[in-house]
Amino acid sequence: MKLYYTPSTCSFAPHIVIRELGLDAELRRVRLGAEPLVVAEGRDFRELNPLGYVPLLELDDGRVLTEGVAMLLHLADLKPEAGLAPAVGTPERDELHRWLNFISSELHKTFSPWLFHPEYGEQAANVARERLAKRLAVVERHLADRDYLLGDRFSVADAYLFTIADWTRPLKIALDPYPALAAYLERVRARDSIAEALRREKAP
């Protein structure tokens, strides 16, 4: 299995899950831009993903998965005994899907591209910040009485939420209005999987 990633992007979420599960996966760093490149191979990344964005997961059987939510669910189901995703057909699984979709559509796509591309202008960034504040407030209320999104156990949704919500740091978005979220981010940051994924991504 190969994970195509770029540091400080949403590809960190499946990388966390790979470390949580102890899976054997090769990392392939991608340099994003107008002509995205698989760094070690000098290969045009668009040969794998025509849209040129990460993450991308190349499976052992040669199949290619794009889209982070699909990867997170696939990885969790490789080792169901690890409990990173509730069993299919349960109310808890429905709740997992709800949060994965919320993070993807309401958080991820509010942060990116609007807050990472100054060329879109300050007006677009201000609209995104206002929209984001309302959505972070939803997360704040939910985390007020629990350690993780699904209760007392870490799941793939937490790997995704941590990755996206932690973008508040480089963007200098204050978390003072969201103390439960701030505590959550520090709690997740302390997991061994986070440290290991960061170490691997910083390796030459």
Side-chain angles (χ1 to χ4, degrees):
M1 182 162 41
K2 298 180 181 69
L3 176 66
Y4 291 81
Y5 78 100
T6 301
S8 303
T9 70
C10 58
S11 60
F12 195 59
H15 193 181
I16 293 171
V17 173
I18 285 168
R19 299 302 158 204
E20 285 279 339
L21 296 174
L23 297 174
D24 184 19
E26 298 177 29
L27 295 179
R28 291 286 181 269
R29 184 168 180 158
V30 176
R31 187 187 69 212
L32 298 178
E35 297 182 357
L37 194 71
V38 181
V39 174
E41 304 168 21
R43 177 184 183 185
D44 189 335
F45 181 58
R46 290 167 297 186
E47 295 174 9
L48 292 166
N49 184 354
L51 293 178
Y53 59 70
V54 294
L56 181 142
L57 193 65
E58 188 175 343
L59 305 178
D60 291 339
D61 62 7
R63 287 185 298 128
V64 166
L65 271 183
T66 60
E67 307 308 323
V69 169
M71 282 175 227
L72 293 172
L73 291 170
H74 174 85
L75 291 168
D77 289 340
L78 290 178
K79 285 193 174 183
E81 67 276 10
L84 292 188
V88 173
T90 63
E92 293 79 13
R93 184 75 171 213
D94 293 340
E95 186 73 355
L96 174 68
H97 287 174
R98 181 174 81 89
W99 278 108
L100 288 172
N101 279 281
F102 178 86
I103 297 164
S104 176
S105 62
E106 301 299 328
L107 293 178
H108 189 170
K109 292 308 177 185
T110 301
F111 273 106
S112 177
W114 308 112
L115 296 177
F116 284 107
H117 289 274
E119 65 270 23
Y120 290 148
E122 191 61 24
Q123 181 179 0
N126 287 336
V127 170
R129 289 188 190 99
E130 290 176 11
R131 177 182 173 90
L132 184 62
K134 294 176 182 177
R135 282 141 184 83
L136 291 179
V138 170
V139 177
E140 172 70 17
R141 288 193 295 271
H142 183 75
L143 291 174
D145 62 352
R146 66 197 71 212
D147 286 341
Y148 301 105
L149 284 173
L150 301 187
D152 60 359
R153 189 162 189 169
F154 183 88
S155 74
V156 293
D158 296 295
Y160 195 11
L161 177 59
F162 174 82
T163 297
I164 302 307
D166 202 46
W167 288 345
T168 54
R169 289 201 303 165
L171 291 170
K172 295 181 171 54
I173 296 173
L175 292 181
D176 297 352
Y178 318 108
L181 175 59
Y184 165 89
L185 290 175
E186 293 312 306
R187 186 160 54 248
V188 175
R189 196 186 317 281
R191 297 182 73 85
D192 291 343
S193 60
I194 305 290
E196 178 64 9
L198 285 171
R199 185 185 71 80
R200 297 286 186 110
E201 293 198 4
K202 289 178 180 176

